[in-house]
Amino acid sequence: MLTHFAAAIGVLGLLTLLPGPDMAVVTRRAVVAGAADALRTVAGIATGLLLWGALTVAGLAAALAAAPAAYLVVRLLGAGYLVLLGVQALRRSHHAPSAVPGTGAPHGSGSPWRTGLISNVLNPKIAVCYTGLLPALAPPHLPAAWAMTLLVLLHVMLTVAWLGGYTLLLAKAAPLLQKPRVRGALGRTTGVVLIGFGLVVATTAG
């Protein structure tokens, strides 16, 4: 069983480290309102993973992955949300910020926890990953529900550790990020990346 968990940690660790929409969303919140908001976004992302994990254990995520129409709706909603966040980041990069990072979210930026939760819940790729990948990593000597629960919790812990550490690195760079030119450039870059992820989600099937 230890061998299976070691393999699971390796695979899920690599999956966590790959840059994706979650990292882009966290970066955006860090640039817009500072590390505290970024950490709340990470909490929202973790909540979304727990929700997907519960749906997976209940068998609902597999049903979604197997239903083309439902999968398409969730995929397009998720893509649209990422594009919306990207457009907002681009618009803010061209205007003076209404709050300095670390002093609170500027007006209209929304709840950071909700931002993380929605971006994660509207990512049907997680349903495909959980229903297709986790069963292959599950220790055979445990009941399926227990094995899947442990793997989901492991993925959540790895995600929180990685994105939390990434947020702390951004916090150390706060003096640099507070410079208007740097914030503007990073905001534009993050906006383009979010829009790019949204287009990829929208045009990638299955």
Side-chain angles (χ1 to χ4, degrees), residues 108-124:
S109 62
S111 163
W113 181 84
R114 187 172 62 244
T115 297
L117 175 65
I118 293 176
S119 66
N120 202 272
V121 167
L122 293 180
N123 184 0

Side-chain angles (χ1 to χ4, degrees), residues 86-155:
V87 171
Q88 289 178 342
L90 288 175
R91 291 180 60 186
R92 288 198 182 94
S93 70
H94 294 292
H95 301 281
S98 55
V100 176
T103 63
H107 177 71
S109 62
S111 163
W113 181 84
R114 187 172 62 244
T115 297
L117 175 65
I118 293 176
S119 66
N120 202 272
V121 167
L122 293 180
N123 184 0
K125 298 293 183 182
I126 298 176
V128 174
C129 173
Y130 276 15
T131 58
L133 177 63
L134 293 193
L137 298 174
H141 303 298
L142 289 178
W146 282 104
M148 295 292 286
T149 299
L150 287 174
L151 290 176
V152 168
L153 292 176
L154 174 61
H155 186 217

Side-chain angles (χ1 to χ4, degrees), residues 24-188:
V25 169
V26 170
T27 303
R28 172 182 174 271
R29 292 302 309 201
V31 172
V32 168
D37 264 32
L39 288 175
R40 295 186 186 98
T41 305
V42 173
I45 291 169
T47 305
L49 290 176
L50 289 172
L51 179 58
W52 275 118
L55 293 176
T56 301
V57 173
L60 299 179
L64 171 63
Y71 182 88
L72 177 62
V73 170
V74 176
R75 179 159 58 88
L76 292 180
L77 286 174
Y81 187 66
L82 290 176
V83 171
L84 174 63
L85 292 178
V87 171
Q88 289 178 342
L90 288 175
R91 291 180 60 186
R92 288 198 182 94
S93 70
H94 294 292
H95 301 281
S98 55
V100 176
T103 63
H107 177 71
S109 62
S111 163
W113 181 84
R114 187 172 62 244
T115 297
L117 175 65
I118 293 176
S119 66
N120 202 272
V121 167
L122 293 180
N123 184 0
K125 298 293 183 182
I126 298 176
V128 174
C129 173
Y130 276 15
T131 58
L133 177 63
L134 293 193
L137 298 174
H141 303 298
L142 289 178
W146 282 104
M148 295 292 286
T149 299
L150 287 174
L151 290 176
V152 168
L153 292 176
L154 174 61
H155 186 217
V156 171
M157 288 188 293
L158 290 172
T159 299
V160 170
W162 166 239
L163 291 179
Y166 173 68
T167 299
L168 295 179
L169 288 176
L170 290 177
K172 289 184 177 296
L176 177 63
L177 295 179
Q178 289 176 11
K179 295 181 178 180
R181 291 182 61 181
V182 175
R183 292 192 67 193
L186 190 55
R188 288 188 291 273

